[in-house]
Amino acid sequence: MSYDRYGRGGRRRYHQRDRDDYDDRRRDYESPDDKLKTAIIKLGEVDPIEELPRLEQLIRDHVPRNIPVLSEAFRIGVTEQPYKIPFYATMLRILHNSSELSIPDESPLGRLILEDFWKGFQSYLDKVAWRDTRLCIHFFAHLTVARLISDDSMLSLLRSFTAVLDEFGVSHGRAKQAALCAGEGLLIAGPALKEYSPTGVQEIITAIQTYAETTTQQKWLVSPATRISSQAIPSETTVELLDILLSTLNTLNQSDFTETANCIPQPYTTYPDIDPSVLSPYQLPLVLVPPEVIEFDSMSAESGEESQIKKDEWPEFFIRLFPNDVSPDPNSPPGYVVRTALLDIVEIFEVNRKECARLLLEYPKWNLPGTFKAKPGATTVVEPAPGKDWQLESTIIETVLGAYLILPESSKKSIYYIALITELCKLSPSTVGPAVGKSIRKLYTSLSDGLDVEAARRFAEWFAVHMSNFGFAWVWKEWIPDLQLTVQHPRRAFMRRAIEFEIRLAYHDRILKTLPEVMQTPDAYTIPDQAPGPAHEYDDPATPHHDAAQAVLNLFRGRAKIEDVFTHLEALKTSLETSEEGHVNVDSIIRSIVLQSLLHIGSRSFSHFLNAIERYLPLLRNLTSGGISNAGGGVNPEAKADVLTAAASFWKYNRQMVAIVFDKLMQYQIVDPTDVVAWTFMNGVAVGQLAELGGPMNLSAFEWDLLRGALDKANGRVTIARRKVAALRKEDDDARARVKARADETMEIDAEPKEENQDAKVPETTPTDNPALATALNAFSSLTKEQKTALSRTLEGFVSCLAPTSSDLHANPQARTVITEKAWNNRANWGRDEWNAWETWGWYRQFCRAYSPYLKTYSNTLYTVSFAKFEHENDEAANLLKTVWNIATGQEA
């Protein structure tokens, strides 16, 4: 049926031409203020320098003059397009000139805009919007060099941010942002400020330096290139944000900031300085950075408030992938300016990755000419700047991957960075593609040199997704020689992990065909010999209990009532008890049969799985409590472990489904996060077609994914419960306020209030007065205990893996040997157990730093439970465990 016509087809289809007509009409109705605002924001779409005079004329000709609209346009341009800041500063400088339209005895138009701009900056500061605040400071710094803002007031502004670094107990996230505001403002305004007050400039640098020196141990824990065996932080392959800021400031300070003009565009310097006797520079008002909100006991049930888990509480390390002649050295002023400018674009344009990719590739237009090599086929030839002439695409990829691999967690979702690189490749495949290929090879090489396990996991994830977007075309034959390495070597582990991810994104045979023949064989241990799928233990008629399992399966297929299933299971138990030998755990067999039968029903699709679980949810909860009847039982960890084992066994050829099923079992409260944690440490290495590679108790990326899923579930439940308590308390407080207000009104109307009215008080509401609040508080208390137990069990599991006692089962004998520098230097001779132990140490570091906010809450209790037994022992492994723990929980500066 056609919908292009009126009548029988219903409403006319909304064509693109209709939208175009609507957009044209909307533009026709756009107010003059909106048109001017758009023109300011779009400054530089073709050539910013050539557009400045035309834009000036538009602003001056606009009547009636609307200063708030003009200042808002400048604020939007500065905070959302920071690469245009030098040109906005130039525009404001031009607007300080007098013109024929200027009103006598009135401040220049540029000054009026600047004064109103300051109000917006103050609002950003009051809201502690750090990025907007920092970018406004960039704008003020440029205006200081242009002599539109006084040197003393700019210096005072920067000092107000360095004062934050001296606050007692200041968080790293707050201190880092304040240091960036002060340091980057000084980087730009340095030529004017150094001339005005060399001492003041040195004070700012010293304040940042003093704070940075207090974060040495935190840097060791989050650097992607540090070794567990050494406190040294390699500077060749990684750089830290505050460190490169300090290096840049010190370099510029030594040259009296004369080098600033060689790394930052300053188009306003072509205009003569304004005579101070005619118009004195603008005095920035004094500011006070709002104090940090400290939530006392924010994780307790009494607070009822949500504790915001911040991602920026650690130093930021960026991986270096290219030499200084390919991408700029981040420790140099030009390198710092380029890197931070690209990072700002990546952060701001998260909402539109296509636009972000376009702007990144157009970035040379906003930097100094000759900074980057010309594009192939460019008609305009620009003389390369001395010491620059870098490759733009390599610089962009290095910056994006550096942000993606920040530990313990990137500031944006991983898929954003992955999709952004894909868009870059689509826009310029001939130039971005080679940069991506070189980056992959560099990261792959670094796997042998101790690349952090979490960074390696993300690398495999990016590699697989990126290959899926480009036909899975990779030159695998380059890595064939690495098949001679031990099977658990990080490079071989990466190959297995990347191929597993690729299979998830396609199918087994598709990926198999992309691999060289030598990688396809079972003894290569790179790809499973069969496609991912279910492995129903009782499918084979020769398997014990096949007939019993088929009977249960037929009940589920027929959608039997739960009561009928219970009756059948009771009869089955009686039958098995009389036919089996005494050493067989009949309850465990029944749990395995029931769960595998349900999973077999649900293996057709995700919807089938959820329907099967929901239909027989009471049955599953009963089984995990230790019973097989309606009566049920109490808490039974063994029963829950049996359920998890049955699920893992059914999906042993598809480890992704193991994580999904575990997540749903926790969601439906069939098992608890603590049960998943305990099971993972005891059984995780036995899952999958490569289970024989697991060896002694250890953790790989798969087991870490299970642990992370369990911990996130426990923490997420507490967050949701806390929100509910806060909402109910707010409702209760509002209700009490209304009651009190009505009581006050009654007393005001009654001229001679009765005795009982005089003594009347609004009763304090307790949880018992509000059943909903009481229920929410009880739930919150229970979930908090579950969270604490899950964290405690995880910590105990790591301690048992890495500092095992003689009584620990499946202990790795190499857990204590791999932590020495001598052992690391001999890693070429490591075998399976050594690399397994090394990887487990890496996941312990990730656990401590990723869940640091939660661990701090229970630090004393958790430390006592897990580490008290090592108090009087000189155990290197235990000491290292405690060192990592103390750094993560803030107990060791």
Side-chain angles (χ1 to χ4, degrees):
M1 181 181 292
S2 173
Y3 289 87
D4 286 326
R5 297 161 52 191
Y6 293 100
R8 286 179 299 156
R11 296 184 62 186
R12 186 167 61 96
R13 182 182 295 171
Y14 189 67
H15 284 289
Q16 179 62 39
R17 63 174 176 269
D18 298 317
R19 180 184 180 92
D20 293 340
D21 292 343
Y22 170 77
D23 288 340
D24 291 339
R25 291 194 301 271
R26 187 171 179 271
R27 280 193 289 270
D28 291 340
Y29 299 147
E30 198 173 22
S31 69
D33 283 349
D34 291 337
K35 290 182 178 179
L36 180 60
K37 190 172 166 182
T38 301
I40 295 173
I41 293 172
K42 290 186 175 181
L43 168 67
E45 293 295 318
V46 179
D47 188 314
I49 298 298
E50 292 184 0
E51 293 176 24
L52 286 173
R54 181 181 60 82
L55 182 58
E56 177 199 6
Q57 196 62 40
L58 280 176
I59 294 174
R60 294 192 184 277
D61 291 345
H62 182 71
V63 290
R65 182 182 294 175
N66 193 331
I67 299 300
V69 167
L70 293 173
S71 67
E72 182 185 8
F74 273 85
R75 280 197 301 272
I76 292 173
V78 166
T79 57
E80 296 185 11
Q81 303 173 112
Y83 44 89
K84 295 184 181 181
I85 289 178
F87 303 96
Y88 282 122
T90 305
M91 186 74 258
L92 207 64
R93 166 64 187 84
I94 295 173
L95 292 174
H96 273 72
N97 293 335
S98 59
S99 71
E100 297 177 358
L101 299 176
S102 300
I103 301 174
D105 300 327
E106 185 185 50
S107 297
L109 180 57
R111 172 61 59 86
L112 297 176
I113 295 174
L114 178 55
E115 290 173 349
D116 200 78
F117 187 98
W118 174 265
K119 298 175 184 176
F121 167 74
Q122 187 66 58
S123 69
Y124 294 144
L125 189 59
D126 293 341
K127 292 184 294 186
V128 198
W130 283 115
R131 187 182 68 206
D132 293 340
T133 300
R134 175 172 55 84
L135 295 177
C136 286
I137 291 175
H138 285 199
F139 185 56
F140 296 147
H142 280 286
L143 296 178
T144 303
V145 179
R147 303 301 179 186
L148 300 180
I149 290 177
S150 67
D151 299 334
D152 59 327
S153 66
M154 185 64 197
L155 191 60
S156 176
L157 176 64
L158 300 184
R159 281 172 170 163
S160 67
F161 286 93
T162 57
V164 171
L165 306 179
D166 296 327
E167 292 175 354
F168 176 75
V170 62
S171 67
H172 180 77
R174 176 178 169 84
K176 176 176 64 179
Q177 295 295 342
L180 290 175
C181 288
E184 293 184 5
L186 177 59
L187 187 156
I188 300 170
L193 298 184
K194 183 63 182 284
E195 182 181 350
Y196 169 74
S197 176
T199 305
V201 168
Q202 186 59 51
E203 287 175 356
I204 293 174
I205 297 175
T206 302
I208 299 174
Q209 177 76 49
T210 302
Y211 174 76
E213 290 173 353
T214 66
T215 63
T216 302
Q217 290 189 310
Q218 287 88 339
K219 292 176 184 177
W220 172 75
L221 192 56
V222 294
S223 170
T226 53
R227 303 190 297 271
I228 195 70
S229 58
S230 171
Q231 293 281 338
I233 302 175
S235 58
E236 303 84 12
T237 55
T238 59
V239 291
E240 198 274 326
L241 187 57
L242 289 186
D243 286 347
I244 60 177
L245 173 62
L246 282 168
S247 175
T248 296
L249 290 176
N250 284 321
T251 300
L252 290 174
N253 192 33
Q254 290 173 4
S255 67
D256 292 334
F257 288 87
T258 56
E259 292 297 318
T260 300
N262 294 328
C263 55
I264 300 176
Q266 296 177 331
Y268 41 80
T269 55
T270 59
Y271 296 86
D273 293 341
I274 296 177
D275 187 353
S277 63
V278 177
L279 179 68
S280 59
Y282 179 61
Q283 287 285 333
L284 297 175
L286 295 175
V287 299
L288 178 65
V289 181
E292 188 169 27
V293 178
I294 301 176
E295 298 178 356
F296 294 99
D297 198 22
S298 60
M299 299 293 287
S300 71
E302 294 302 317
S303 70
E305 297 294 332
E306 181 180 358
S307 176
Q308 183 66 34
I309 303 304
K310 301 174 183 178
K311 295 183 179 181
D312 59 352
E313 290 302 314
W314 292 97
E316 289 185 45
F317 272 91
F318 298 91
I319 287 182
R320 290 224 60 197
L321 301 174
F322 301 104
N324 294 340
D325 60 341
V326 176
S327 66
D329 179 6
N331 290 288
S332 66
Y336 181 87
V337 169
V338 168
R339 179 175 292 268
T340 53
L342 295 176
L343 282 173
D344 282 336
I345 294 174
V346 171
E347 291 285 313
I348 292 170
F349 287 89
E350 179 196 12
V351 295
N352 190 339
R353 67 178 187 276
K354 293 179 181 292
E355 182 71 3
C356 182
R358 182 185 69 82
L359 290 171
L360 288 173
L361 292 175
E362 291 181 358
Y363 174 70
K365 158 180 162 180
W366 304 104
N367 207 306
L368 296 171
T371 300
F372 295 100
K373 292 182 182 296
K375 291 182 180 180
T379 56
T380 305
V381 179
V382 179
E383 187 70 21
K388 297 184 180 180
D389 199 30
W390 297 301
Q391 295 178 9
L392 173 65
E393 293 78 10
S394 296
T395 304
I396 292 173
I397 294 299
E398 182 180 59
T399 302
V400 174
L401 285 176
Y404 170 57
L405 297 176
I406 283 178
L407 299 175
E409 186 178 2
S410 57
S411 62
K412 307 297 181 185
K413 295 288 186 182
S414 294
I415 193 62
Y416 167 59
Y417 301 103
I418 295 173
L420 177 58
I421 293 176
T422 299
E423 294 299 332
L424 288 165
C425 288
K426 290 178 179 178
L427 280 178
S428 183
S430 62
T431 57
V432 178
V436 170
K438 292 175 184 177
S439 299
I440 291 173
R441 292 178 176 89
K442 177 65 175 179
L443 286 170
Y444 180 78
T445 302
S446 67
L447 291 169
S448 298
D449 300 325
L451 182 67
D452 187 90
V453 292
E454 170 63 12
R457 184 195 67 81
R458 290 189 219 165
F459 171 36
E461 189 177 85
W462 166 58
F463 177 87
V465 176
H466 189 79
M467 292 299 113
S468 73
N469 288 318
F470 297 96
F472 296 100
W474 180 250
V475 192
W476 287 99
K477 64 182 181 181
E478 292 181 3
W479 296 343
I480 289 178
D482 290 334
L483 295 179
Q484 304 303 317
L485 299 171
T486 183
V487 74
Q488 287 293 36
H489 189 280
R491 291 188 182 181
R492 296 194 64 183
F494 167 81
M495 284 190 261
R496 283 194 298 275
R497 195 173 304 131
I499 290 172
E500 181 180 357
F501 289 161
E502 285 189 349
I503 293 173
R504 294 180 187 180
L505 296 166
Y507 53 94
H508 183 270
D509 290 345
R510 171 74 175 86
I511 303 306
L512 185 67
K513 293 176 182 177
T514 66
L515 302 176
E517 289 187 9
V518 68
M519 286 188 174
Q520 299 178 12
T521 59
D523 57 353
Y525 292 113
T526 55
I527 186 170
D529 54 5
Q530 68 180 68
H536 191 202
E537 186 178 337
Y538 303 101
D539 251 358
D540 187 353
T543 304
H545 314 301
H546 167 76
D547 294 337
Q550 286 298 313
V552 174
L553 182 60
N554 289 333
L555 284 175
F556 290 148
R557 281 175 174 165
R559 300 184 178 183
K561 294 181 179 179
I562 292 181
E563 293 78 7
D564 295 339
V565 177
F566 276 127
T567 302
H568 180 83
L569 292 180
E570 288 176 355
L572 177 60
K573 179 178 181 180
T574 302
S575 173
L576 291 175
E577 286 176 339
T578 57
S579 62
E580 296 285 348
E581 297 181 5
H583 66 274
V584 175
N585 188 332
V586 174
D587 288 340
S588 181
I589 293 174
I590 291 177
R591 292 181 199 117
S592 176
I593 289 174
V594 170
L595 194 74
Q596 291 221 8
S597 298
L598 277 177
L599 292 176
H600 187 66
I601 294 291
S603 62
R604 292 176 58 187
S605 70
F606 197 62
S607 298
H608 283 80
F609 166 63
L610 292 181
N611 289 335
I613 294 294
E614 291 173 359
R615 180 176 295 115
Y616 294 102
L617 188 56
L619 170 64
L620 291 172
R621 287 177 176 167
N622 185 282
L623 287 176
T624 54
S625 65
I628 58 168
S629 65
N630 282 313
V635 177
N636 191 325
E638 181 185 351
K640 294 182 177 182
D642 287 341
V643 167
L644 293 171
T645 299
S649 175
F650 184 86
W651 285 113
K652 63 183 178 181
Y653 298 139
N654 189 342
R655 300 199 297 183
Q656 181 184 23
M657 283 303 300
V658 174
I660 291 173
V661 172
F662 280 16
D663 178 75
K664 293 305 173 184
L665 292 176
M666 288 187 289
Q667 179 179 328
Y668 288 111
Q669 298 182 346
I670 298 168
V671 299
D672 297 326
T674 305
D675 301 317
V676 174
V677 170
W679 184 92
T680 300
F681 276 105
M682 294 304 298
N683 304 280
V685 295
V687 177
Q689 299 182 50
L690 302 177
E692 62 271 17
L693 305 182
M697 186 165 58
N698 64 84
L699 260 71
S700 68
F702 166 68
E703 289 81 48
W704 170 251
D705 285 341
L706 296 182
L707 285 181
R708 184 177 59 174
L711 294 175
D712 288 347
K713 184 71 71 176
N715 296 331
R717 286 175 176 173
V718 171
T719 299
I720 294 172
R722 185 185 290 110
R723 288 175 180 167
K724 187 173 183 179
V725 170
L728 289 172
R729 277 188 168 159
K730 186 177 184 303
E731 291 177 5
D732 191 68
D733 291 342
D734 291 344
R736 290 169 53 205
R738 287 194 295 270
V739 171
K740 186 176 186 300
R742 286 196 295 268
D744 291 342
E745 290 175 2
T746 303
M747 286 189 289
E748 290 176 3
I749 294 173
D750 192 350
E752 295 182 1
K754 297 179 181 179
E755 188 69 23
E756 57 268 27
N757 283 341
Q758 291 178 344
D759 298 333
K761 293 183 179 179
V762 179
E764 290 290 331
T765 305
T766 63
T768 55
D769 299 326
N770 188 332
L773 180 58
T775 302
L777 284 171
N778 289 335
F780 179 69
S781 177
S782 175
L783 292 173
T784 301
K785 291 178 182 177
E786 178 186 280
Q787 177 194 45
K788 183 178 179 181
T789 305
L791 292 170
S792 177
R793 184 64 188 85
T794 305
L795 182 58
E796 290 176 26
F798 275 113
V799 171
S800 297
C801 283
L802 301 175
T805 62
S806 57
S807 59
D808 285 332
L809 298 175
H810 311 297
N812 190 333
Q814 305 300 332
R816 285 182 166 86
T817 62
V818 297
I819 61 176
T820 64
E821 190 68 5
K822 180 179 179 181
W824 174 252
N825 293 332
N826 189 42
R827 63 188 181 279
N829 298 318
W830 280 7
R832 180 197 67 178
D833 291 348
E834 286 88 350
W835 283 117
N836 278 339
W838 176 84
E839 185 173 9
T840 305
W841 275 105
W843 290 122
Y844 172 66
R845 283 158 54 102
Q846 176 63 9
F847 163 68
C848 289
R849 63 198 178 202
Y851 294 98
S852 171
Y854 305 102
L855 298 176
K856 289 178 180 177
T857 306
Y858 311 114
S859 59
N860 293 332
T861 303
L862 297 181
Y863 184 93
T864 302
V865 170
S866 298
F867 297 123
K869 58 186 176 183
F870 299 115
E871 283 300 318
H872 302 292
E873 297 182 15
N874 185 18
D875 187 327
E876 288 189 12
N879 292 338
L880 186 55
L881 283 167
K882 289 189 285 186
T883 297
V884 173
W885 171 267
N886 289 335
I887 295 173
T889 56
Q891 300 181 39
E892 187 170 314

